[in-house]
Amino acid sequence: MFARSIIILGALVSSSWAQSSYSAPYSVNTTAASASVTSLSDYPTSPASTSGSGTSVITTAGPSGSTSTISSASLNSSSTASASGATYTNPILNAVGADPWVIQHDGWYYLTYTTTSNITLLRSKVLTDWNDAETKLLFSPPMGQNYSTDLWAPELHQIGGTWYVIFTADPASDSPPPETDMYCDYSCPAVNHRMYVLRGSSSDPWDSTYTIASQLNTYDQFAIDGTYFQHSTGLYHIYSCWYRQYDGWPANLCITKLSDPTTVESNFTQRVILSVPDNAWEKTPYGRPFNVRLSSNEGPEQLINPSTGQQFVIYSAARSDNRNYCLGQLELVGTDPMNVDDWKKRNEGCVFYQNPSAEVYGVGHASFVKSPDGTEDWIVYHGMQNPFNGWNARTIRAQKFTWNEDGTPNFPRPGYGPYEVPSGQ
């Protein structure tokens, strides 16, 4: 995703809040005019630039802080040499994995993703092959806590020189008691999911010890896939939310203001819903006319154009175990992230979506990072080759992307490659 506190692809927002709270490793032209998104053609034919099979599983059993090396299986994800230079193929990790978050710090790439049982960090000098990466168990929750099970979508951020991991978790494996479930309009297994933050002990993400710092206030309501949104006006929490405590669906995008990475400043009446899944491509099945069940906006991630300063939230839409899962786009065209009218949603369709001709389905929950030499922008995402196997079919992939003339991201068609490795790798 994004030291890097966030991925801004070579730029970190400069602000009075930022100057007092964290050191910016990059600079960005924050005075650049924000352009409205230019409509592309309708999903699923929006234009985009175009440019295996044993499985190994990460084992992280052992005390927190223990390290190990992933054993590589024989999928075609390693980099290889060719007449035109080094290449790689997707997936970039030979294991089931979803919700990838990648950052770059001091010459290393760091990857974390959903394991459900713990939070594991991987470290590699190479972006496109994680099979021989070092691994470290950052956090294994004790039982009997509200965050003991179903740990999803962890993200590692550096803010104010301190490392934080933001993640979502549940107390009982998404199995609420009948006395809770009976209040939900639909089946609501995730009704008790909330957002939590770990704080690191040092300025080094690998050497730090991580401990629970707080539960972020989401007003005792469903909350998953939270991320930090950094802006000249402050620090914000954007996450997937319901309207009410027992809704079940739809899953929307909410934003609240933070006073620091562990403390929500906004009260419930100040919480703002930025996006609701009311387009056909945000529903499951596509265009579902009956009700809002399985309609979802989730996995929001901040993305900033390093040349123009345009600020985006790239989010996931539709159902995560379905072939139609894709990426949508919000652009901050005003100056106040808490003002819904300062955001422009691209309603015309997904900006990154399935590619059936290449057997790529359910692409989403992306993060963004630079190539080793800083000249290229890369998207790291999960997808499926077999859309009938649901969540267990997801693997982690990476591809280079560019920018459109209007300053919006120009994502490629998802595929397996081979592709040229990142510049400088």
Side-chain angles (χ1 to χ4, degrees):
M1 279 202 101
F2 324 136
R4 244 190 41 185
S5 307
I6 54 171
I7 174 62
I8 57 177
L9 302 177
L12 189 61
V13 176
S14 169
S15 68
S16 58
W17 181 90
Q19 292 164 358
S20 64
S21 301
Y22 66 91
S23 57
Y26 306 113
S27 61
V28 62
N29 176 13
T30 58
T31 61
S34 295
S36 298
V37 178
T38 298
S39 298
L40 302 179
S41 59
D42 289 344
Y43 171 87
T45 57
S46 301
S49 63
T50 55
S51 318
S53 34
T55 300
S56 64
V57 180
I58 295 174
T59 301
T60 55
S64 180
S66 63
T67 61
S68 62
T69 301
I70 292 178
S71 175
S72 174
S74 59
L75 289 178
N76 298 324
S77 63
S78 59
S79 298
T80 59
S82 69
S84 60
T87 63
Y88 76 97
T89 56
N90 281 320
I92 59 174
L93 176 64
N94 299 337
V96 172
D99 312 327
W101 171 268
V102 177
I103 67 166
Q104 190 178 22
H105 178 72
D106 284 350
W108 290 93
Y109 288 103
Y110 294 88
L111 165 68
T112 187
Y113 61 93
T114 294
T115 68
T116 72
S117 61
N118 60 48
I119 297 176
T120 298
L121 187 65
L122 286 69
R123 182 171 75 165
S124 174
K125 293 286 187 178
V126 177
L127 176 60
T128 53
D129 186 355
W130 290 85
N131 293 299
D132 296 316
E134 297 176 82
T135 71
K136 179 176 180 177
L137 180 62
L138 292 193
F139 181 70
S140 183
M143 296 308 295
Q145 303 299 315
N146 288 335
Y147 48 83
S148 292
T149 64
D150 284 349
L151 286 71
W152 299 343
E155 298 182 1
L156 177 67
H157 296 257
Q158 188 186 42
I159 303 174
T162 300
W163 290 95
Y164 297 91
V165 176
I166 185 171
F167 68 100
T168 184
D170 176 273
S173 302
D174 274 7
S175 299
E179 290 295 305
T180 297
D181 185 73
M182 69 181 182
Y183 289 110
C184 295
D185 294 341
Y186 302 95
S187 176
C188 54
V191 65
N192 289 319
H193 259 274
R194 302 290 185 268
M195 293 302 308
Y196 300 90
V197 180
L198 305 178
R199 181 188 289 114
S201 61
S202 77
S203 60
D204 187 292
W206 193 253
D207 293 336
S208 283
T209 298
Y210 292 85
T211 55
I212 281 285
S214 75
Q215 175 181 329
L216 288 177
N217 185 12
T218 57
Y219 320 107
D220 198 27
Q221 290 192 15
F222 163 87
I224 66 169
D225 293 358
T227 192
Y228 292 118
F229 184 88
Q230 298 186 30
H231 185 261
S232 61
T233 58
L235 182 66
Y236 300 86
H237 179 213
I238 303 180
Y239 61 100
S240 187
C241 63
W242 296 340
Y243 287 114
R244 299 166 301 177
Q245 186 173 9
Y246 300 110
D247 279 349
W249 300 99
N252 313 298
L253 292 183
C254 282
I255 184 171
T256 56
K257 192 168 186 179
L258 303 174
S259 57
D260 61 61
T262 63
T263 309
V264 175
E265 178 181 306
S266 305
N267 60 42
F268 178 69
T269 62
Q270 294 170 320
R271 183 191 75 167
V272 174
I273 296 179
L274 294 181
S275 178
V276 175
D278 49 11
N279 292 300
W281 50 273
E282 297 175 297
K283 301 176 182 296
T284 303
Y286 182 93
R288 183 187 190 102
F290 320 109
N291 51 44
V292 296
R293 180 175 174 267
L294 306 184
S295 299
S296 184
N297 285 177
E298 61 185 30
E301 303 298 351
Q302 184 171 13
L303 174 63
I304 298 179
N305 185 319
S307 298
T308 66
Q310 289 166 258
Q311 302 189 52
F312 303 92
V313 167
I314 305 299
Y315 66 94
S316 299
R319 174 78 168 178
S320 60
D321 61 351
N322 187 271
R323 69 178 66 216
N324 291 331
Y325 199 58
C326 69
L327 295 181
Q329 177 182 290
L330 298 173
E331 181 179 3
L332 183 63
V333 294
T335 60
D336 183 3
M338 293 290 289
N339 181 5
V340 68
D341 292 329
D342 281 1
W343 292 89
K344 181 177 178 60
K345 183 174 180 176
R346 186 187 183 278
N347 291 304
E348 291 79 14
C350 306
V351 293
F352 188 64
Y353 50 89
Q354 63 179 312
N355 186 4
S357 64
E359 297 185 342
V360 182
Y361 304 94
V363 295
H365 207 119
S367 58
F368 309 97
V369 72
K370 299 294 283 190
S371 60
D373 65 5
T375 64
E376 297 172 344
D377 301 318
W378 284 72
I379 178 173
V380 183
Y381 62 97
H382 73 236
M384 301 183 288
Q385 186 169 17
N386 183 342
F388 299 101
N389 286 346
W391 290 309
N392 290 330
R394 298 176 296 177
T395 55
I396 297 171
R397 300 105 184 277
Q399 289 176 244
K400 184 174 72 173
F401 75 96
T402 58
W403 299 90
N404 295 308
E405 290 185 3
D406 66 354
T408 58
N410 182 14
F411 295 117
R413 300 296 288 120
Y416 295 98
Y419 304 112
E420 290 186 8
V421 299
S423 181
Q425 181 169 296

